[in-house]
């Protein structure tokens, strides 16, 4: 299967071409001009993707186009066929204006109705059990927002490695990146997960959970605007707030020379271990494996700090990195091969 995978960012678009699981070419296309017109942005990005493929001597004879899922309503995991209804939602009704919202529209534009276009496991995947939805206030239900694409892909890989069906496994999966998602997947369903935006452990640049009273006090202090507070918590928190860097490698170097820096790094590992332990607890201790994935899982020194907390709970498996483009391509491939049935997006049912 020859598949084109697309993952847009704010100023670039990452693409890759796969023959089955073999990567043929990869590129990051930079977009230098500022475009406030989304329709124009989509058209220009599509044209630049075509130019990149032509320069790379890649013919446009794909079996499918696989796109990153944007900010969609809560929905089950899986691979979805992109259609006009999904594109309309992403462009006009999405809760957050995010570059990933452009992926499916770009894919549909490129396909011209001749090639199937898919998304797989967007961040809005919602399989929470009912108990996990309660926050403590009826007006503020917990929201499932996670690194679903990578976490689900890691789960499938672990199931393959163990020779098991993922639907028969109980896993705790921790995505360790700029944001941290720790989820409990029971028999294929992610029944609980911290919202990586504002719950769970602090990360390289996010604060994670904070004392509610202190946050409220800052909101009404007059010191900050709403945007400044959001940036403080979601972009400039975590390691960056404590140590002036969001690079774990640098933080670990600081930790060798400074006890305060060492405490910060140890505290992040502590909080990750605590979050994983909580997921093990609500599973009744019945866990087949704990999976550590994401960029920070490459760092063996930091992984060892986490394993000191969780090593006795279950088998700990390291599946580092994200491999988003490959995960998208594999989602499309499963549908093309018939091992998975493509879902149809219905914005009213999804919500």
């Amino acid at each position: 299967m020859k598949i084109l995978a697309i993952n847009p960012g704010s100023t670039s678009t990452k693409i890759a071409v796969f023959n089955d699981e073999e990567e043929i070419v990869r590129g990051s296309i930079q977009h230098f001009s500022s475009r406030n017109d989304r329709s124009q942005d989509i058209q220009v990005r599509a044209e630049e993707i075509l130019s990149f493929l032509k320069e790379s001597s890649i013919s446009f004879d794909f079996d499918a186009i696989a796109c990153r899922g944007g900010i969609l309503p809560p929905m089950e995991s899986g691979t979805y066929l992109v259609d006009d209804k999904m594109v309309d939602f992403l462009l006009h009704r999405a809760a957050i204006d995010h570059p990933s919202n452009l992926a499916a529209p770009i894919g549909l534009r490129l396909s011209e109705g001749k090639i199937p276009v898919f998304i797989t496991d967007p961040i809005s995947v919602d399989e929470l059990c009912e108990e996990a939805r309660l926050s403590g206030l009826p007006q503020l239900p917990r929201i499932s927002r996670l690194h679903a694409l990578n976490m689900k892909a890691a789960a499938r890989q672990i199931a393959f490695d163990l020779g098991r069906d993922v639907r028969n496994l109980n896993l705790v999966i921790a995505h360790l990146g700029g944001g941290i998602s720790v989820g409990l997947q029971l028999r294929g369903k992610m029944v609980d997960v911290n919202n990586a935006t504002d719950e769970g452990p602090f990360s390289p640049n996010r604060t994670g959970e904070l004392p509610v009273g202190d946050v409220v006090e800052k909101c009404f202090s007059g010191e900050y605007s709403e945007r400044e507070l959001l940036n403080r918590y979601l972009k400039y928190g975590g390691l960056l707030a404590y140590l002036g860097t969001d690079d774990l490698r640098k933080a670990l170097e600081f930790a060798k020379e400074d006890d305060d820096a060492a405490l910060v790094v140890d505290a992040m590992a502590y909080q990750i271990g605590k979050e994983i332990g909580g997921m093990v607890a609500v599973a009744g201790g019945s866990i087949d494996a704990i999976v550590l994935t994401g960029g920070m899982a490459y760092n063996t020194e930091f992984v060892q700090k986490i394993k000191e907390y969780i090593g006795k709970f279950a088998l700990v498996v390291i599946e580092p990195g994200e491999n988003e483009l490959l995960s998208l391509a594999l989602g499309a491939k499963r549908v093309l091969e018939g091992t998975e049935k493509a879902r149809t997006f219905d914005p009213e049912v999804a919500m």
Side-chain angles (χ1 to χ4, degrees), residues 22 34 36 68-69 90 112 126 160 176 229 279 317-318 332 338:
E22 180 186 359
S34 175
N36 296 320
R68 184 181 178 190
L90 288 167
E112 297 182 338
D126 185 345
F160 177 81
L176 309 176
L229 273 177
M279 295 298 178
V317 182
I318 314 303

Side-chain angles (χ1 to χ4, degrees), residues 62-261:
F62 298 104
D63 294 290
I65 300 175
C67 304
R68 184 181 178 190
I71 310 299
L72 291 160
M75 57 205 303
E76 285 193 74
S77 65
T79 298
Y80 288 76
L81 185 67
V82 174
D83 57 16
D84 290 333
K85 288 190 295 184
M86 182 185 291
V87 167
D88 177 73
F89 188 96
L90 288 167
L91 295 181
H92 305 295
R93 300 169 60 188
I96 301 172
D97 185 14
H98 191 272
S100 63
N101 293 343
L102 300 175
I106 292 169
L108 203 60
R109 179 73 60 89
L110 288 168
S111 76
E112 297 182 338
K114 301 173 184 177
I115 305 170
V117 182
F118 302 104
I119 66 164
T120 299
D121 294 332
I123 67 169
S124 55
V125 163
D126 185 345
E127 300 169 333
L128 296 185
C129 65
E130 292 308 308
E131 293 88 342
R133 298 187 187 280
L134 276 65
S135 68
L137 275 180
Q139 299 87 349
L140 297 175
R142 294 185 67 239
I143 297 173
S144 179
R145 192 164 286 165
L146 67 155
H147 298 84
L149 179 63
N150 182 46
M151 294 169 78
K152 289 287 185 177
R156 293 187 192 97
Q157 183 61 49
I158 297 308
F160 177 81
D161 293 343
L162 295 176
R164 302 273 298 277
D165 187 325
V166 72
R167 293 169 295 184
N168 293 327
L169 287 174
N170 292 343
L171 304 170
V172 175
I173 308 169
H175 172 97
L176 309 176
I180 294 175
S181 298
V182 180
L184 172 62
Q185 182 165 298
L186 299 181
R187 297 173 293 282
K189 299 290 186 183
M190 195 72 71
V191 300
D192 200 353
V193 66
N194 67 281
N195 182 337
T197 303
D198 51 25
E199 294 180 343
F202 71 78
S203 75
N205 54 28
R206 300 179 191 176
T207 62
E209 293 177 6
L210 291 170
V212 174
D214 293 338
V215 172
V216 171
E217 182 179 338
K218 287 298 181 185
C219 289
F220 288 91
S221 68
E223 298 177 57
Y224 305 94
S225 68
E226 179 182 357
R227 175 51 53 189
E228 287 171 337
L229 273 177
L230 286 172
N231 287 340
R232 185 181 192 225
Y233 300 143
L234 304 183
K235 294 183 179 180
Y236 307 121
L239 292 182
L240 186 58
Y242 284 109
L243 302 178
T245 181
D246 57 3
D247 186 326
L248 175 63
R249 295 165 297 183
K250 290 183 179 179
L252 286 165
E253 286 298 317
F254 295 162
K256 293 176 183 177
E257 305 294 333
D258 183 85
D259 289 343
D260 290 337

